[in-house]
Amino acid sequence: MIATPEGAFVTSVVSSLPLEIHVFANLTYHDVLRVGTPDGKTWKIDQGALSQVQLDSPGADGFVARNYAGQNETCMPIFEKQVGGKPGYSVGSVTQVIEATEKADKFSVGAPEGASTVGITCARDSIVPAPNDYKVLATGYKLTIFERRPGTREGEFSYANGRVTFALKKGDPLTASDQAAIDARLAVFQKALSATH
């Protein structure tokens, strides 16, 4: 079986929307073009029509959007170690969560000797978790997401006692669309985790 291309992907650093040249390339080469923009969004141009691609879109669209989001995230594990009878915390090396959870059924981070991983902290373009972030929660780790934009928000996702929860720790209140997106993602996470635990 020979794999066939599913279009092309480019990044744009000059605009938060694809440019006319991207539409021109799509119409000229008759191939789907996906464009990543500086705000972390992925756009699709197909037969001259422009649409935004969501991380949970099916097929090549979702794969490209998650891959682009994964390139733009910075995540670090948080370790806990008892020191003199009190918990001490340290931060590990940078790791990629979106890419790792895309490629593997399970997510894990090796902790230093005598320590345990208690959480993962990620800086991303959106506080809405990625579709496979439930794999982080399945390990018992908490997932904290910091947004990279003005009014930066910090949100914590966890899974305990059979329940997925979200808490906004700081920053501007959630917009109605962000709240709806988080609620939808939490429902998917709850279903996935309930099936595996």
Side-chain angles (χ1 to χ4, degrees):
M1 180 179 204
I2 299 174
T4 56
E6 296 252 0
F9 175 77
V10 297
T11 57
S12 173
V13 296
V14 296
S15 173
S16 60
L17 287 171
L19 304 171
E20 292 84 353
I21 191 69
H22 297 123
V23 177
F24 177 78
N26 166 250
L27 293 172
T28 300
Y29 296 105
H30 307 288
D31 207 356
V32 174
L33 180 62
R34 295 171 187 91
V35 181
T37 52
D39 56 3
K41 294 178 181 174
T42 300
W43 300 87
K44 177 181 179 178
I45 307 171
D46 190 5
Q47 298 178 20
L50 176 67
S51 59
Q52 186 179 344
V53 180
Q54 302 301 321
L55 294 183
D56 56 359
S57 296
D61 290 339
F63 175 78
V64 169
R66 290 187 299 276
N67 186 285
Y68 184 56
Q71 292 175 17
N72 291 324
E73 75 171 344
T74 304
C75 300
M76 292 177 287
I78 308 298
F79 304 123
E80 179 182 24
K81 183 176 183 178
Q82 292 295 319
V83 179
K86 295 181 180 178
Y89 297 94
S90 62
V91 177
S93 301
V94 172
T95 187
Q96 301 302 119
V97 170
I98 294 175
E99 179 183 355
T101 56
E102 179 78 19
K103 296 179 178 179
D105 291 334
K106 295 183 179 181
F107 177 83
S108 67
V109 176
E113 187 176 337
S116 60
T117 306
V118 294
I120 304 290
T121 299
C122 294
R124 293 181 178 169
D125 293 310
S126 173
I127 197 170
V128 178
N132 293 314
D133 282 343
Y134 73 91
K135 295 176 185 178
V136 174
L137 304 180
T139 63
Y141 308 159
K142 290 182 180 180
L143 174 63
T144 302
I145 299 176
F146 290 89
E147 284 183 315
R148 292 188 189 109
R149 63 181 184 194
T152 296
R153 294 176 293 190
E154 174 189 339
E156 182 181 270
F157 299 85
S158 60
Y159 180 65
N161 302 316
R163 196 163 156 253
V164 179
T165 59
F166 166 75
L168 183 64
K169 294 295 189 178
K170 67 178 179 181
D172 294 339
L174 294 174
T175 64
S177 62
D178 282 345
Q179 184 68 63
I182 288 173
D183 290 345
R185 193 78 84 221
L186 291 180
V188 172
F189 288 1
Q190 185 68 55
K191 184 175 180 181
L193 291 167
S194 295
T196 58
H197 284 83

